Amino acid sequence: MLKPAQTVADTEASAVFRGTAMPWFFLLPSLIILAVFIYLPALQTLRLAAFKANLILGTERFVGVQNVTELLLSPAYRQVALQTLIFMVLTVSLGLLFSLSLAWLASRPVRGSKYYRLLLIYPYALSPAIAGTLWLFMFNPEIGVVNQILGSLFNVKPRWLDDPMLAFGLVVVAAIWKGLAYNIVFYLASIQNLPGDVMEAAEIDGATPAQVFWRVAFPLLTPITFFLVFTNIISALFDSFALTDILTRGGPYFQNAGITTFLVYQLYQDGFVNFKSGVAAAQAALMLLLVAFITYMQFKVGEKRVHYGS
Amino acid sequence: MTVKTDTPPLGGRGPGRRGPSWPTHLALVLAVVIISTPLIFALIKATQASSQVISPNMLPGTSFFSNLSNVWVDANLGRYMLNSTIVAISVTTGKTILALMAALAFVYFRFPLKSVAFTLVLLSLMLPTEVLIIALFDLVSRDLQWANTFAAIIVPFLASATGTFLFRQHFLNIPTSLADAARIDGCGPLRYLTHILIPMSWNTIGALAVIQFVYAWDQYIWPLVIVQQDDKQVVQVGLRKLIDVGGQTDWGGVMAGAIITMLPPLIVFTLLQEQFSRGFALSEDK
């Protein structure tokens, strides 16, 4: 993984071509795109957060930190933040647990393991929007296959998308399912790069398969696990938008807000449905802090705790 | 790191070689079935005639192409697919070229403000589009007047920090003597890039292309807000529109559409699987 301070120095050592304009000619396209479409909007977001603004009407009124304080005091927004956190913790932990178990199983030298691997990773090609579409149809209360089976077996037809707890559970399971293939790809790759002789030695010394996994393999897999924890946190925060937008539309309503309304969904709602641009920008500013914190932790934890084997 | 799906594991490499293998088979079959259920279900329903689609009937039918043609023309799926293809190919190509150029500058040149430029590229990883969407919408629709254009869903995504870093890492592992020799022979940086670096980077390019194509193909929230005109919309948002047709969803058609929508990334992934595996194997060694 990236170690910024070190890498710039590494880069300097090998400089061979001369010229002061040349490097900028190569860099400028990227830098212009980043400046115009990333850094400018980021600054504009911070500015807008201090206004009561409506981009459609073009109105703006300076309110300082009022948007942020209103958000932090709002029971609905707090609920959305808490829901997002629970969703994130559940999908990341369970998702990685299942992915690692499946990748480990598929790495065992059984006949046909290459087909198992292929069948486990091809859903990588699925988008969150497609995932939402498939699950919406499967869990349709009247014509969905799940209720048709449950109805004929147990004579129950749960209203999956109307009941808050069921809807939340459904979104969690769908998100875990969607993420499996990506995680399995990385775990499979890492498991295959494990030093086989070390594990063999452990087995010869009489370690049980469980001991080989927990004492030898698992510690060697911590770097990839940390990498996946962070990429999964990011995708729980952002990729969940398409899934929830199609599957539940943020609902059903529970206490102060839709139970499957997560941070990005709320931002979208306030910005593009309610047209409260300033409030949405304030949410974006809070999310920027969150992402910055997550990235910072990634470097911090990555440097300190991760055991980079080999 | 490599994803060796095409070769059986070597004798001593796999974990846990003791005990019978049938529990492993059983667990794997079960896992594969559970993971595939939504897709199998979609595949079957996509082939059924409209009366069967809403019934518990789980036998494949023969209506796949009529379901598909219903949504392909009437619900605009063909247009959405074309748009997504244009967007995904443009973004992937553009990102690759810009990232190659940026990496060339970082690896083979010494210049003032290099670490500032490097930090700017690095920090962009912390600013996902989803978070910037309010200001980006304002900029693209009002200042640039790009609403309902392909430019709006292509141009903002052309710079790639991930790509720049992967290429940088790859270039750093190519012996400097090669570049020195090229320079002495009178080869300029651009020629060095096109004649030497790119031919030596196909695995990294392939690996990145898979990631970038899938990412571009899956774009959802940004096209949803910036594109209001139906004939410019991408297929992910198009799927949502296929569902929302006044309560009467043509589920057979939607499932056929979903199947077709997942094909392009699947094809790219399959075609470039070898490069995908090797590209990451290279970058992970360092």
Side-chain angles (χ1 to χ4, degrees), chain A residues 141-142 144-158, chain B residues 55-58:
Chain A
E142 282 86 30
V145 66
V146 175
N147 273 9
Q148 282 172 347
I149 293 171
L150 288 179
S152 61
L153 288 180
F154 308 107
N155 207 22
V156 287
K157 289 195 167 189
Chain B
S55 76
N57 185 341
M58 285 301 280

Side-chain angles (χ1 to χ4, degrees), chain A residues 137 143-145 148, chain B residues 41 44-64 66-67 250-252:
Chain A
F137 186 27
I143 59 172
V145 66
Q148 282 172 347
Chain B
F41 169 73
I44 293 173
K45 289 295 173 187
T47 63
Q48 294 182 344
S50 50
S51 59
Q52 295 170 309
V53 172
I54 56 166
S55 76
N57 185 341
M58 285 301 280
L59 293 172
T62 52
S63 306
F64 180 75
S66 69
N67 282 337
D250 166 20
W251 281 110

Side-chain angles (χ1 to χ4, degrees), chain B residues 10-283:
Chain B
L10 304 166
R13 303 271 288 168
R17 284 167 298 110
R18 293 188 305 186
S21 64
W22 67 265
T24 311
H25 280 293
L26 186 70
L28 282 170
V29 168
L30 207 64
V32 167
V33 168
I34 292 173
I35 288 178
S36 305
T37 299
L39 289 169
I40 296 168
F41 169 73
L43 269 173
I44 293 173
K45 289 295 173 187
T47 63
Q48 294 182 344
S50 50
S51 59
Q52 295 170 309
V53 172
I54 56 166
S55 76
N57 185 341
M58 285 301 280
L59 293 172
T62 52
S63 306
F64 180 75
F65 289 102
S66 69
N67 282 337
L68 186 60
S69 72
N70 286 343
V71 287
W72 192 266
V73 182
D74 301 344
N76 233 356
L77 184 73
R79 184 78 225 181
Y80 299 144
M81 285 291 284
L82 178 68
N83 294 345
S84 280
T85 309
I86 295 171
V87 170
I89 290 177
S90 312
V91 170
T92 307
T93 317
K95 269 191 165 172
T96 305
I97 295 172
L98 261 55
L100 278 168
M101 286 168 60
L104 180 79
F106 283 131
V107 175
Y108 295 101
F109 286 92
R110 189 176 308 197
F111 55 95
L113 297 177
K114 182 164 165 177
S115 52
V116 175
F118 194 79
T119 310
L120 277 178
V121 177
L122 182 82
L123 283 181
S124 71
L125 285 173
M126 272 204 259
L127 302 165
T129 313
E130 286 88 346
V131 175
L132 308 176
I133 200 158
I134 303 286
L136 198 60
F137 178 84
D138 187 35
L139 173 83
V140 170
S141 69
R142 212 182 46 178
D143 300 334
L144 295 171
Q145 297 282 324
W146 280 359
N148 298 316
T149 66
F150 284 141
I153 35 183
I154 294 173
V155 180
F157 304 99
L158 289 182
S160 167
T162 317
T164 307
F165 294 130
L166 271 180
F167 284 132
R168 204 194 102 272
Q169 213 162 0
H170 176 62
F171 292 171
L172 283 174
N173 290 298
I174 294 173
T176 333
S177 52
L178 207 61
D180 283 327
R183 186 171 58 92
I184 291 162
D185 288 347
C187 171
L190 194 62
R191 208 172 137 82
Y192 181 65
L193 176 69
T194 53
H195 284 64
I196 294 171
L197 284 182
I198 291 180
M200 288 181 79
S201 308
W202 286 121
N203 286 331
T204 314
I205 292 174
L208 269 172
V210 173
I211 295 175
Q212 291 168 343
F213 187 91
V214 172
Y215 173 81
W217 186 264
D218 289 359
Q219 282 289 347
Y220 182 86
I221 189 171
W222 176 242
L224 176 70
V225 301
I226 199 69
V227 177
Q228 297 305 323
Q229 209 174 304
D230 219 29
D231 63 344
K232 291 281 163 46
Q233 195 48 274
V234 298
V235 73
Q236 306 293 339
V237 181
L239 272 181
R240 182 204 217 221
K241 296 191 174 196
L242 298 191
I243 302 168
D244 291 348
V245 275
Q248 276 300 333
T249 306
D250 166 20
W251 281 110
V254 173
M255 290 299 114
I259 300 291
I260 294 297
T261 306
M262 62 181 92
L263 280 183
L266 205 58
I267 292 168
V268 171
F269 187 56
T270 312
L271 286 180
L272 295 176
Q273 207 200 318
E274 197 64 36
Q275 282 80 0
F276 187 74
S277 313
R278 288 209 217 121
F280 283 117
L282 278 171
S283 65

